[in-house]
Amino acid sequence: LTALTGERALQIAAGPDRPDLILLDIMMPQMDGHEVLRWLRADPATAEIPVIFVTAMAQETDEETGLRLGAVDYIIKPISPPIVLQRVRTQLELKAARDVLKDTNAWLERELAWRMRENLLIQDLTIEALASLAEAHDIGTGLHWTCTGSVLVRCSCQAAFCSKATGDLQPKAEYWRRGLQKLLMYFVARQWFA
């Protein structure tokens, strides 16, 4: 895609077919390349598009200004096509690597949120089971095994419900449900043979 003015360059960059890289001259009619780059960096939709200045402005201060504004490279005219091609290739590879890192970070954040929800579910089930067991202990009447058994049945059913209601947490909830069932069997056996 080619734009002859800065305004047209901004329209293309913000459009549906965003470029992976922009080659930008500094000397353009109406809006110069520095101003275009400022607008690109100010817009979140275009802020991460790499920009290489290709210009006849050969002063060191010009290059320093362009890089300070956020250009990834600065090529002075007249150009050598093989060198420009290699610099473009390098910047495209770097952009692809940044995109992969960005996607990986987003996936890791989703995974962390999922693990936190999973841990909170397990924590809630454990706390409820332990609190109910503490309340069910009745040494005076000898009915604590019966009370404990009913608490474990309730916790086991709740774990089964949670595993069905939160499909992504099913493996852990199922693990806890089986553990509570084993504990229930232990208490039932203790009561039966007591």
Side-chain angles (χ1 to χ4, degrees):
L1 300 171
T2 303
L4 298 178
T5 65
E7 290 85 0
R8 180 67 184 135
L10 291 172
Q11 289 172 353
I12 292 171
D17 296 324
R18 266 191 205 108
D20 290 324
L21 178 88
I22 296 173
L23 297 175
L24 185 62
D25 198 344
I26 293 175
M27 295 181 288
M28 295 188 300
Q30 298 166 351
M31 180 186 288
D32 71 10
H34 291 148
E35 189 62 25
V36 172
L37 185 54
R38 283 187 192 97
W39 279 97
L40 289 169
R41 294 297 176 250
D43 183 353
T46 60
E48 295 181 17
I49 299 174
V51 174
I52 297 177
F53 276 124
V54 181
T55 183
M57 298 179 69
Q59 296 295 319
E60 190 175 303
T61 55
D62 298 326
E63 186 174 354
E64 188 270 331
T65 301
L67 295 173
R68 185 173 33 81
L69 289 173
V72 296
D73 203 348
Y74 194 96
I75 301 171
I76 299 170
K77 294 177 185 176
I79 64 167
S80 167
I83 291 175
V84 171
L85 185 61
Q86 188 56 47
R87 286 181 167 184
V88 166
R89 186 177 293 126
T90 299
Q91 292 304 324
L92 289 173
E93 288 172 359
L94 288 171
K95 181 180 186 312
R98 281 192 304 269
D99 291 346
V100 167
L101 283 174
K102 184 178 177 181
D103 293 344
T104 302
N105 283 339
W107 177 83
L108 286 172
E109 287 177 8
R110 288 191 306 272
E111 183 71 13
L112 179 62
W114 178 81
R115 300 270 174 135
M116 292 298 292
R117 286 193 319 270
E118 180 182 59
N119 285 341
L120 289 174
L121 172 66
I122 292 168
Q123 180 182 357
D124 289 347
L125 287 172
T126 303
I127 289 171
E128 183 174 336
L130 292 174
S132 299
L133 286 173
E135 291 172 3
H137 190 71
D138 184 4
I139 297 174
T141 63
L143 295 175
H144 58 283
W145 297 117
T146 304
C147 294
T148 302
S150 68
V151 167
L152 287 173
V153 168
R154 198 169 69 241
C155 288
S156 178
C157 292
Q158 185 177 17
F161 171 76
C162 287
S163 71
K164 289 184 177 101
T166 58
D168 57 343
L169 303 181
Q170 189 168 355
K172 288 288 185 183
E174 183 62 24
Y175 169 80
W176 280 91
R177 188 184 66 76
R178 284 196 311 270
L180 289 170
Q181 281 180 332
K182 288 178 185 175
L183 196 54
L184 172 63
M185 291 296 120
Y186 169 77
F187 281 113
V188 168
R190 283 284 304 254
Q191 181 185 6
W192 185 263
F193 296 109

